Amino acid sequence: MTKMLSHDAALDLFADAFVETTDRYRIVAGEDVTDAPMPDAEAVAQATEMVVRTLFDVLRDTRLEGIADQIAWGIVHSFHRVASQIEGQADKAAQNVKRLIEQADGSEVGTVELEEAQLLCQSLDETQDAVACMRDYAAATFRAETGKPWSSPRASLTSSKRTASVIAATDFLAARRKRQIDQKAPQGPIVLFSGGQMWEDHRLLYSALDNIRARIPTMILATTAQDKGCDAIAAAWAARSGCKIIPFTLNRKLGNRAGFARNEQLIGLRPVEAVVCEGSGVQSHLAREVRKHRIPAHFFAIADQHRGEAAR
């Protein structure tokens, strides 16, 4: 069983996510507005952990123990799907706010409609933050049990037609966009990681990544997003250490060039360091590109496993 987040750390995460950002709340257009409070953050944290952990407890030492991780994976995925659906609704609501800003004429009707649209968007954002926090904690519980990771608005104008609600809504959209950029395109030094799907020695890779992070504590790990082997080990390390990770998936439309095109994307990030493990021709190509661009790197061969050796 992998070490779980500390109780205090978990409560801090939930306290940040379960914040009432508006006095009024509505997540379905046309429904009544409520002023009900957010649920207690500590209670939700405990319930989220229990949903996953209790499943493993009741199935342990039974015939169904072998599929406990599959069922638990589905539980985490259900949180993920709901969070994603709400995020999509929030994005549509934000587009509606933007449309109303562009059409704003200063009338009372238009102002009220804009304020209601902003309330819907803000409520959805608040909800998505809460559900995403539950998903992340459920995923952390899954990892603790299994040892595996669960794998621009226009500027404000000064025209007299621009009412206070339009300015506020514009600022709201700008802040929302900035937060999304920070979450989906985190800023920091990039460390590349790629390797083959046949790999056993996780300690070797954990050690290399630990050493890099000790020197570059704000590093962001960019991987080639395979669901087993080296990339899965790197994802597990990132989950354990709390390092931000950007998995680069293949663009299947590119056919046989997909892997090489992804390598070019990774090199284009201007990484400060790289870890490349022996795998397929895609890894060989990436290693050549890393050397060509003189990126400090650690190269691991399959034969290096359990010996702690790397080429440079």
Side-chain angles (χ1 to χ4, degrees):
M1 187 179 294
T2 304
K3 185 179 179 182
M4 184 70 173
L5 277 175
S6 72
H7 179 70
D8 289 343
L11 289 186
D12 286 344
L13 292 175
F14 274 81
D16 288 342
F18 282 71
V19 173
E20 295 163 15
T21 60
T22 178
D23 293 335
R24 301 158 65 235
Y25 177 88
R26 173 197 283 148
I27 59 171
V28 178
E31 285 195 353
D32 291 339
V33 172
T34 180
D35 59 358
M38 286 290 278
D40 180 75
E42 183 172 3
V44 177
Q46 292 173 348
T48 302
E49 181 178 352
M50 286 180 62
V51 166
V52 180
R53 199 177 293 282
T54 302
L55 175 71
F56 284 99
D57 289 342
V58 299
L59 297 185
R60 191 168 287 116
D61 299 324
T62 74
R63 295 183 180 187
L64 298 185
E65 181 176 12
I67 63 168
D69 59 340
Q70 298 177 49
I71 301 172
W73 186 94
I75 292 173
V76 180
H77 185 62
S78 67
F79 281 112
H80 177 65
R81 286 198 63 182
V82 173
S84 298
Q85 289 168 357
I86 295 172
E87 183 179 24
Q89 294 168 16
D91 288 341
K92 290 180 181 178
Q95 287 299 314
N96 189 40
V97 171
K98 184 178 180 181
R99 178 182 63 81
L100 291 172
I101 289 173
E102 293 168 349
Q103 297 175 354
D105 58 5
S107 68
E108 182 177 353
V109 172
T111 298
V112 170
E113 187 178 5
L114 177 58
E115 289 173 348
E116 292 303 309
Q118 184 178 340
L119 171 64
L120 177 64
C121 186
Q122 195 166 354
S123 298
L124 286 166
D125 278 342
E126 181 181 289
T127 304
Q128 197 274 336
D129 283 345
V131 178
C133 180
M134 296 168 70
R135 174 203 60 202
D136 293 345
Y137 195 47
T141 307
F142 176 88
R143 179 173 58 85
E145 288 286 344
T146 66
K148 300 179 294 185
W150 188 81
S151 260
S152 96
R154 295 180 181 178
S156 298
L157 302 180
T158 56
S159 165
S160 59
K161 285 285 188 181
R162 307 294 285 192
T163 65
S165 65
V166 173
I167 302 298
T170 304
D171 292 343
F172 163 72
L173 280 185
R176 184 178 189 273
R177 178 62 178 161
K178 182 181 184 302
R179 186 181 67 165
Q180 288 183 326
I181 290 172
D182 290 342
Q183 290 174 341
K184 297 182 180 179
Q187 302 299 306
I190 299 291
V191 174
L192 297 190
F193 186 99
S194 182
Q197 298 190 36
M198 303 298 293
W199 200 274
E200 299 175 357
D201 188 0
H202 73 278
R203 291 183 179 85
L204 178 64
L205 303 185
Y206 272 31
S207 177
L209 291 169
D210 283 340
N211 289 336
I212 294 173
R213 197 170 192 220
R215 291 183 284 102
I216 313 173
T218 58
M219 66 174 275
I220 296 168
L221 193 66
T223 77
T224 43
Q226 298 181 93
D227 59 3
K228 58 183 178 179
C230 293
D231 285 1
I233 291 171
W237 173 85
R240 184 200 69 167
S241 62
C243 178
K244 292 180 180 177
I245 183 170
I246 308 174
F248 277 72
T249 56
L250 290 173
N251 182 353
R252 299 292 181 183
K253 294 180 181 179
L254 298 178
N256 293 335
R257 261 199 49 78
F260 304 106
R262 178 176 57 188
N263 286 348
E264 292 165 5
Q265 277 186 306
L266 291 168
I267 295 297
L269 297 175
R270 297 183 179 179
V272 298
E273 203 156 337
V275 178
V276 183
C277 305
E278 183 179 354
S280 67
V282 172
Q283 277 75 42
S284 298
H285 173 261
L286 181 59
R288 290 195 298 272
E289 289 296 307
V290 165
R291 288 190 172 102
K292 175 182 174 182
H293 289 82
R294 298 182 179 179
I295 300 167
H298 312 263
F299 300 105
F300 292 100
I302 292 175
D304 294 331
Q305 294 185 85
H306 308 295
R307 296 194 309 183
E309 298 176 2
R312 289 182 178 271

